Amino acid sequence: MALRVNDSDARLSLDSRETLLDALRDQLGLQGTKKGCDQGACGACTVLLDGKRVLSCLTLAAQCDGREVTTVEGLAPDGDMHPVQEAFVRHDAFQCGYCTPGQIMSAVALLKEGRAGSDEEIREFMSGNLCRCAAYPNIVAAIRDVAGQEESHDAGL
Ligand code: FES
Ligand code: FES
């Protein structure tokens, strides 16, 4: 099968039962995407599939044939952090960091979805991403910060 991952083509030979998460981590060496629960409950494995967030532990790699996958590595291809990554650092939005790649991928998608209108909305649309370290207030603050920057930019400020 052929995948486009982070703007590069990848050809893989896979068991039809293999998940996208395992294909990314074990076959392509992209270990930024984390395996937490491996059953769709924690959000640590969130990636973008054709620009929309999916849980890669619940997505078969074979379903992604010919489609575009973006992982956390793809947000900073030249080493310059994505604005959401910068905001997470600025707001100290992590402790152990295990959930962070999934939080960041979900946050990138949420901003594109236009779901960052209020703290309540951010909390609701980030509710599939759990953080055992309970960094939630700082995660919300980081997302709100980027949403505010985008609004200022759109308003030409
Ligand atoms: Fe996929 Fe937890 S590892 S949701
Ligand atoms: Fe540790 Fe979220 S920062 S689980």
Side-chain angles (χ1 to χ4, degrees), residues 25 28-29 37 81 86 91 107 122-123 136 139:
R25 289 181 56 84
L28 296 175
C37 62
M81 285 194 291
E86 288 177 342
H91 288 274
I122 293 170
R123 276 196 284 273
Y136 298 114
I139 292 169

Side-chain angles (χ1 to χ4, degrees), residues 34-45 55 57:
K34 301 298 184 219
K35 184 181 282 193
C37 62
D38 207 18
Q39 55 184 10
C42 75
C45 64
L55 297 173
C57 72

Side-chain angles (χ1 to χ4, degrees), residues 94-100 131-133:
F94 47 82
Q95 289 182 38
C96 76
Y98 198 81
C99 72
T100 308
C131 175
R132 301 255 338 225
C133 302

Side-chain angles (χ1 to χ4, degrees), residues 8-154:
S8 297
D9 291 317
R11 291 203 74 80
L12 300 174
S13 187
L14 296 170
D15 187 299
S16 58
R17 294 164 296 182
E18 186 152 351
T19 63
L20 177 60
L21 174 60
D22 287 342
L24 291 170
R25 289 181 56 84
D26 301 339
Q27 303 237 11
L28 296 175
L30 293 170
Q31 302 200 340
T33 305
K34 301 298 184 219
K35 184 181 282 193
C37 62
D38 207 18
Q39 55 184 10
C42 75
C45 64
T46 305
V47 298
L48 306 184
L49 181 60
D50 293 335
K52 301 210 166 110
R53 46 185 163 166
V54 295
L55 297 173
S56 59
C57 72
L58 291 188
T59 306
L60 289 174
Q63 292 173 271
C64 306
D65 197 12
R67 299 174 72 184
E68 177 96 29
V69 179
T70 308
T71 69
V72 71
E73 290 90 347
L75 295 185
D78 303 319
D80 292 330
M81 285 194 291
H82 184 282
V84 173
Q85 292 174 307
E86 288 177 342
F88 268 60
V89 172
R90 212 164 39 247
H91 288 274
D92 215 9
F94 47 82
Q95 289 182 38
C96 76
Y98 198 81
C99 72
T100 308
Q103 301 278 3
I104 287 175
M105 297 312 289
S106 235
V108 167
L110 168 143
L111 287 156
K112 270 202 220 144
E113 292 159 12
R115 297 292 190 182
S118 65
D119 286 6
E120 290 67 34
E121 193 176 36
I122 293 170
R123 276 196 284 273
E124 162 119 27
F125 283 88
M126 289 295 292
S127 63
N129 289 80
L130 304 186
C131 175
R132 301 255 338 225
C133 302
Y136 298 114
N138 301 30
I139 292 169
V140 172
I143 296 170
R144 195 177 52 222
D145 188 354
V146 181
Q149 287 170 24
E150 287 182 354
E151 271 171 29
S152 309
H153 186 262
D154 290 346

